[in-house]
Amino acid sequence: DAKTTQPTSMDCAEGRAANLPCNHSTISGNEYVYWYRQIHSQGPQYIIHGLKNNETNEMASLIITEDRKSSTLILPHATLRDTAVYYCIVYTSGTYKYIFGTGTRLKVLA
Amino acid sequence: NAGVTQTPKFRVLKTGQSMTLLCAQDMNHEYMYWYRQDPGMGLRLIHYSVGEGTTAKGEVPDGYNVSRLKKQNFLLGLESAAPSQTSVYFCASSYLGQGGEAFFGQGTRLTVV
């Protein structure tokens, strides 16, 4: 399974864009990049996913480098409610399983 | 539409006792998963199922058994609980193995004393 590397923690000012990096240098061609977040001790919440192209939805944007070895999750206007642990996951096709790392603890500051 | 529901939400067990955690989903999803999360850690996959009647081991399967007799339910069993199994347990389901999001339950907080 491809492994991911994320910074342990980050701070972001409220209203500013939060850019969360993820390194997945061993990713294979058929593996997706997923992002989830966990607020307090709740169940993780899906944010976005992508294969090769950049993706955007109502919550965030996902920028994947051309070589697919890294990606960045962008929360365009962070709010206090975005304070959470953000997990970058490489989903391995055919294995049917999401393997979580330790994530990035994002703290949005007022 | 309740999504993914876990029962119970909290439980305290004595060492050696057994119990079953129930996960139910009403989204007709094929794939279901059980994770555990220890304090300050990420989620670790215990077992998963790709369809009714099928189960497979994840990263940390020892000490647990699972069953998927009905598509909507995924049961996690502890035959002889140990203090090392004190954790928060999350169940999840997804429609597609790839390209689809997973929906998580709210967790079961289990303490083994």
Side-chain angles (χ1 to χ4, degrees):
Chain A
D1 297 335
K3 297 288 187 277
T4 61
T5 304
Q6 299 177 253
T8 303
S9 64
M10 294 180 64
D11 291 341
C12 177
E14 189 178 18
R16 304 297 290 266
N19 297 285
L20 290 88
C22 180
N23 184 291
H24 32 78
S25 58
T26 60
I27 195 169
S28 299
N30 63 346
E31 291 177 328
Y32 288 77
V33 179
Y34 277 76
W35 283 85
Y36 284 79
R37 73 180 182 184
Q38 188 175 26
I39 299 173
H40 297 302
S41 299
Q42 298 175 17
Q45 175 191 24
Y46 166 83
I47 301 173
I48 199 167
H49 74 279
L51 183 62
K52 290 192 257 191
N53 300 322
N54 298 337
E55 302 287 344
T56 296
N57 63 21
E58 64 278 4
M59 286 182 69
S61 295
L62 174 61
I63 308 298
I64 302 174
T65 57
E66 193 169 341
D67 63 7
R68 302 187 71 237
K69 293 187 177 187
S70 65
S71 61
T72 301
L73 177 75
I74 301 173
L75 307 178
H77 305 287
T79 70
L80 298 178
R81 288 176 295 180
D82 292 321
T83 292
V85 178
Y86 287 77
Y87 295 99
C88 169
I89 300 165
V90 171
Y91 182 84
T92 304
S93 177
T95 65
Y96 311 107
K97 52 187 179 180
Y98 299 87
I99 303 297
F100 285 75
T102 52
T104 296
R105 186 172 297 275
L106 175 70
K107 188 173 182 181
V108 179
L109 306 172
Chain B
N1 188 341
V4 178
T5 303
Q6 293 183 229
T7 309
K9 290 185 171 45
F10 302 92
R11 185 73 185 269
V12 178
L13 282 181
K14 293 183 179 178
T15 298
Q17 285 185 318
S18 64
M19 79 163 293
T20 300
L21 280 66
L22 171 64
C23 177
Q25 53 96 2
D26 60 3
M27 297 172 282
N28 202 35
H29 286 169
E30 291 292 335
Y31 305 95
M32 296 188 74
Y33 313 83
W34 275 108
Y35 290 88
R36 62 175 286 174
Q37 185 174 35
D38 300 326
M41 306 284 287
L43 281 74
R44 291 186 291 169
L45 183 64
I46 305 172
H47 286 280
Y48 63 101
S49 168
V50 301
E52 183 178 321
T54 69
T55 63
K57 294 180 180 180
E59 302 172 274
V60 289
D62 294 342
Y64 305 95
N65 56 75
V66 288
S67 64
R68 183 99 181 267
L69 298 179
K70 293 183 178 181
K71 186 177 183 178
Q72 64 267 34
N73 295 337
F74 194 28
L75 278 62
L76 178 71
L78 287 73
E79 289 188 350
S80 179
S84 61
Q85 294 178 303
T86 294
S87 191
V88 180
Y89 292 84
F90 289 101
C91 175
S93 72
S94 66
Y95 177 62
L96 295 172
Q98 63 187 54
E101 65 179 280
F103 293 82
F104 283 79
Q106 288 305 299
T108 295
R109 188 174 297 274
L110 175 66
T111 302
V112 182
V113 297

